[in-house]
Amino acid sequence: ISLSATQDFWFEGNETVQINFTSTDIEIDSDDSSASIVIADAQTRPTVDFTVATNSVAEDVGGGTQDVTITMSGECQNPVVVTVGYTGAALSSGGLADYSGASTTVTIPSNPAPPVAAGSVTQTVTLTINNDTRVELDELATLTISAVTVAQMGTTQLMHGLTITDN
């Protein structure tokens, strides 16, 4: 039996081929009736980080929302789920919080197309910015990537600081 692996463009992890031998013409030892072959993935597991470490938004931003972008370093054959948590004074101000949000998940869809440029696979997290009438200091919302499935957490920008400037 001859098997050939075909090179692809995305990370899917190692794959296993199971072969079971059966025959009516020759005798097969029951201990040798199957074989497993592991095909090692040639691509490395992609990493997930925030695209930039910081940015700012006015409290009275038009539309009342701010998108923060997450970037994956490569492609995956399977969807990647990213969990993002929120902390900071801007959230803990009770009923007058400058933004609303709780831990959330976003899914970076699988990409079975030919390869794309590294860093061009993205997804956004959207925060609702609340415009209040208080005079206050600028406040900081901190977003943190806390879990990633299929891919792996990056090492450069797992936290994103969003400064909400008072109006």
Side-chain angles (χ1 to χ4, degrees), residues 84-118:
V84 178
Y86 305 95
T87 59
L91 177 64
S92 60
S93 325
L96 299 174
D98 283 345
Y99 78 94
S100 55
S103 287
T104 189
T105 59
V106 294
T107 300
I108 300 172
S110 60
N111 191 353
V116 298

Short mmCIF file of all heavy atoms in Angstrom, two decimals, residues 84-118:
data_model
loop_
_atom_site.label_atom_id
_atom_site.label_comp_id
_atom_site.label_asym_id
_atom_site.label_seq_id
_atom_site.Cartn_x
_atom_site.Cartn_y
_atom_site.Cartn_z
N VAL A 84 -12.93 37.12 25.36
CA VAL A 84 -12.40 38.43 25.72
C VAL A 84 -13.12 38.89 26.98
O VAL A 84 -14.36 38.88 27.05
CB VAL A 84 -12.61 39.46 24.59
CG1 VAL A 84 -12.11 40.83 25.00
CG2 VAL A 84 -11.91 38.99 23.32
N GLY A 85 -12.34 39.32 27.98
CA GLY A 85 -12.90 39.86 29.22
C GLY A 85 -12.66 41.36 29.28
O GLY A 85 -11.78 41.90 28.61
N TYR A 86 -13.47 42.05 30.09
CA TYR A 86 -13.39 43.50 30.24
C TYR A 86 -13.17 43.84 31.71
O TYR A 86 -13.81 43.25 32.58
CB TYR A 86 -14.71 44.17 29.83
CG TYR A 86 -15.18 43.85 28.44
CD1 TYR A 86 -16.10 42.84 28.21
CD2 TYR A 86 -14.73 44.58 27.36
CE1 TYR A 86 -16.56 42.56 26.94
CE2 TYR A 86 -15.18 44.31 26.08
CZ TYR A 86 -16.10 43.30 25.88
OH TYR A 86 -16.55 43.03 24.62
N THR A 87 -12.28 44.79 31.98
CA THR A 87 -12.10 45.32 33.33
C THR A 87 -11.81 46.81 33.21
O THR A 87 -11.53 47.31 32.13
CB THR A 87 -10.92 44.64 34.07
OG1 THR A 87 -9.72 44.83 33.31
CG2 THR A 87 -11.17 43.15 34.27
N GLY A 88 -11.85 47.50 34.34
CA GLY A 88 -11.46 48.91 34.36
C GLY A 88 -12.49 49.78 35.02
O GLY A 88 -13.67 49.44 35.12
N ALA A 89 -12.05 50.96 35.45
CA ALA A 89 -12.91 51.92 36.15
C ALA A 89 -14.09 52.34 35.29
O ALA A 89 -15.17 52.64 35.79
CB ALA A 89 -12.11 53.14 36.57
N ALA A 90 -13.91 52.36 33.99
CA ALA A 90 -14.99 52.80 33.11
C ALA A 90 -16.19 51.86 33.19
O ALA A 90 -17.31 52.25 32.95
CB ALA A 90 -14.49 52.87 31.67
N LEU A 91 -15.96 50.61 33.57
CA LEU A 91 -17.04 49.64 33.69
C LEU A 91 -17.62 49.63 35.09
O LEU A 91 -18.81 49.43 35.27
CB LEU A 91 -16.53 48.24 33.33
CG LEU A 91 -17.52 47.09 33.46
CD1 LEU A 91 -18.68 47.28 32.48
CD2 LEU A 91 -16.85 45.76 33.21
N SER A 92 -16.80 49.88 36.08
CA SER A 92 -17.23 49.70 37.47
C SER A 92 -17.86 50.94 38.09
O SER A 92 -17.97 51.02 39.29
CB SER A 92 -16.04 49.23 38.31
OG SER A 92 -15.02 50.20 38.27
N SER A 93 -18.30 51.88 37.28
CA SER A 93 -18.87 53.11 37.82
C SER A 93 -20.37 53.02 38.08
O SER A 93 -21.07 54.01 38.03
CB SER A 93 -18.64 54.28 36.86
OG SER A 93 -17.43 54.20 36.21
N GLY A 94 -20.88 51.84 38.27
CA GLY A 94 -22.30 51.68 38.56
C GLY A 94 -23.15 52.07 37.38
O GLY A 94 -22.83 51.80 36.24
N GLY A 95 -24.28 52.73 37.64
CA GLY A 95 -25.22 53.12 36.61
C GLY A 95 -24.69 54.16 35.66
O GLY A 95 -25.29 54.44 34.63
N LEU A 96 -23.56 54.79 36.00
CA LEU A 96 -22.99 55.82 35.14
C LEU A 96 -21.73 55.33 34.43
O LEU A 96 -20.87 56.11 34.08
CB LEU A 96 -22.68 57.07 35.98
CG LEU A 96 -23.89 57.72 36.67
CD1 LEU A 96 -23.45 58.85 37.57
CD2 LEU A 96 -24.89 58.22 35.63
N ALA A 97 -21.64 54.05 34.21
CA ALA A 97 -20.47 53.48 33.54
C ALA A 97 -20.32 54.05 32.14
O ALA A 97 -21.31 54.31 31.46
CB ALA A 97 -20.60 51.96 33.47
N ASP A 98 -19.08 54.26 31.73
CA ASP A 98 -18.81 54.83 30.40
C ASP A 98 -18.88 53.82 29.27
O ASP A 98 -18.88 54.19 28.11
CB ASP A 98 -17.43 55.52 30.39
CG ASP A 98 -17.48 56.87 31.09
OD1 ASP A 98 -18.59 57.38 31.32
OD2 ASP A 98 -16.41 57.40 31.41
N TYR A 99 -18.90 52.54 29.58
CA TYR A 99 -19.13 51.54 28.55
C TYR A 99 -19.80 50.34 29.18
O TYR A 99 -19.77 50.16 30.39
CB TYR A 99 -17.83 51.13 27.85
CG TYR A 99 -16.96 50.17 28.61
CD1 TYR A 99 -17.06 48.80 28.41
CD2 TYR A 99 -16.01 50.62 29.54
CE1 TYR A 99 -16.25 47.91 29.09
CE2 TYR A 99 -15.21 49.74 30.22
CZ TYR A 99 -15.33 48.39 29.99
OH TYR A 99 -14.53 47.50 30.67
N SER A 100 -20.42 49.54 28.36
CA SER A 100 -21.04 48.33 28.88
C SER A 100 -20.48 47.14 28.13
O SER A 100 -20.17 47.22 26.94
CB SER A 100 -22.57 48.39 28.74
OG SER A 100 -22.95 48.65 27.41
N GLY A 101 -20.36 46.08 28.86
CA GLY A 101 -19.83 44.86 28.27
C GLY A 101 -19.49 43.88 29.36
O GLY A 101 -19.33 44.25 30.51
N ALA A 102 -19.44 42.64 29.01
CA ALA A 102 -19.03 41.58 29.92
C ALA A 102 -18.16 40.64 29.10
O ALA A 102 -17.97 40.86 27.90
CB ALA A 102 -20.26 40.87 30.47
N SER A 103 -17.67 39.61 29.73
CA SER A 103 -16.90 38.65 28.95
C SER A 103 -17.74 38.23 27.75
O SER A 103 -18.94 38.04 27.84
CB SER A 103 -16.56 37.42 29.79
OG SER A 103 -15.57 37.75 30.72
N THR A 104 -17.07 38.10 26.63
CA THR A 104 -17.76 37.73 25.40
C THR A 104 -16.86 36.81 24.59
O THR A 104 -15.67 36.71 24.86
CB THR A 104 -18.13 38.99 24.58
OG1 THR A 104 -18.98 38.61 23.50
CG2 THR A 104 -16.91 39.70 24.05
N THR A 105 -17.44 36.15 23.62
CA THR A 105 -16.65 35.35 22.70
C THR A 105 -16.90 35.83 21.28
O THR A 105 -17.99 36.30 20.96
CB THR A 105 -16.98 33.84 22.78
OG1 THR A 105 -18.36 33.65 22.49
CG2 THR A 105 -16.65 33.28 24.15
N VAL A 106 -15.87 35.77 20.48
CA VAL A 106 -15.99 36.04 19.05
C VAL A 106 -15.41 34.84 18.32
O VAL A 106 -14.51 34.17 18.82
CB VAL A 106 -15.28 37.34 18.62
CG1 VAL A 106 -15.94 38.55 19.24
CG2 VAL A 106 -13.81 37.32 18.97
N THR A 107 -15.95 34.58 17.14
CA THR A 107 -15.48 33.44 16.35
C THR A 107 -14.82 33.94 15.08
O THR A 107 -15.41 34.71 14.32
CB THR A 107 -16.66 32.50 16.01
OG1 THR A 107 -17.24 32.03 17.23
CG2 THR A 107 -16.18 31.31 15.18
N ILE A 108 -13.58 33.51 14.88
CA ILE A 108 -12.89 33.77 13.62
C ILE A 108 -13.21 32.57 12.74
O ILE A 108 -12.86 31.44 13.07
CB ILE A 108 -11.38 33.91 13.83
CG1 ILE A 108 -11.09 35.08 14.78
CG2 ILE A 108 -10.66 34.10 12.50
CD1 ILE A 108 -9.64 35.19 15.21
N PRO A 109 -13.94 32.77 11.64
CA PRO A 109 -14.38 31.63 10.84
C PRO A 109 -13.22 30.86 10.22
O PRO A 109 -12.13 31.40 10.04
CB PRO A 109 -15.25 32.26 9.75
CG PRO A 109 -15.18 33.72 9.92
CD PRO A 109 -14.34 34.05 11.10
N SER A 110 -13.49 29.61 9.89
CA SER A 110 -12.49 28.81 9.19
C SER A 110 -12.26 29.42 7.82
O SER A 110 -13.10 30.13 7.29
CB SER A 110 -12.95 27.36 9.05
OG SER A 110 -14.16 27.31 8.31
N ASN A 111 -11.09 29.15 7.26
CA ASN A 111 -10.75 29.74 5.98
C ASN A 111 -10.16 28.67 5.07
O ASN A 111 -8.95 28.50 5.01
CB ASN A 111 -9.76 30.89 6.18
CG ASN A 111 -9.60 31.71 4.93
OD1 ASN A 111 -10.11 31.35 3.88
ND2 ASN A 111 -8.89 32.80 5.03
N PRO A 112 -11.02 27.95 4.34
CA PRO A 112 -10.49 26.89 3.48
C PRO A 112 -9.98 27.38 2.12
O PRO A 112 -9.64 26.59 1.28
CB PRO A 112 -11.71 25.98 3.29
CG PRO A 112 -12.87 26.90 3.42
CD PRO A 112 -12.45 27.96 4.42
N ALA A 113 -9.94 28.68 1.91
CA ALA A 113 -9.46 29.24 0.64
C ALA A 113 -7.94 29.18 0.59
O ALA A 113 -7.29 28.92 1.59
CB ALA A 113 -9.94 30.67 0.50
N PRO A 114 -7.35 29.49 -0.56
CA PRO A 114 -5.88 29.55 -0.64
C PRO A 114 -5.32 30.53 0.39
O PRO A 114 -6.07 31.35 0.92
CB PRO A 114 -5.63 30.04 -2.06
CG PRO A 114 -6.84 29.62 -2.81
CD PRO A 114 -7.98 29.72 -1.84
N PRO A 115 -4.05 30.47 0.68
CA PRO A 115 -3.49 31.25 1.78
C PRO A 115 -3.69 32.76 1.61
O PRO A 115 -3.71 33.28 0.51
CB PRO A 115 -2.01 30.90 1.76
CG PRO A 115 -1.74 30.37 0.41
CD PRO A 115 -3.03 29.76 -0.08
N VAL A 116 -3.88 33.40 2.76
CA VAL A 116 -3.98 34.85 2.81
C VAL A 116 -2.75 35.39 3.53
O VAL A 116 -2.05 34.65 4.21
CB VAL A 116 -5.28 35.32 3.51
CG1 VAL A 116 -6.50 34.83 2.76
CG2 VAL A 116 -5.31 34.84 4.95
N ALA A 117 -2.52 36.68 3.43
CA ALA A 117 -1.36 37.28 4.09
C ALA A 117 -1.50 37.16 5.60
O ALA A 117 -2.59 37.31 6.15
CB ALA A 117 -1.25 38.75 3.69
N ALA A 118 -0.38 36.89 6.26
CA ALA A 118 -0.39 36.80 7.72
C ALA A 118 -0.93 38.09 8.31
O ALA A 118 -0.61 39.17 7.85
CB ALA A 118 1.02 36.53 8.23
#
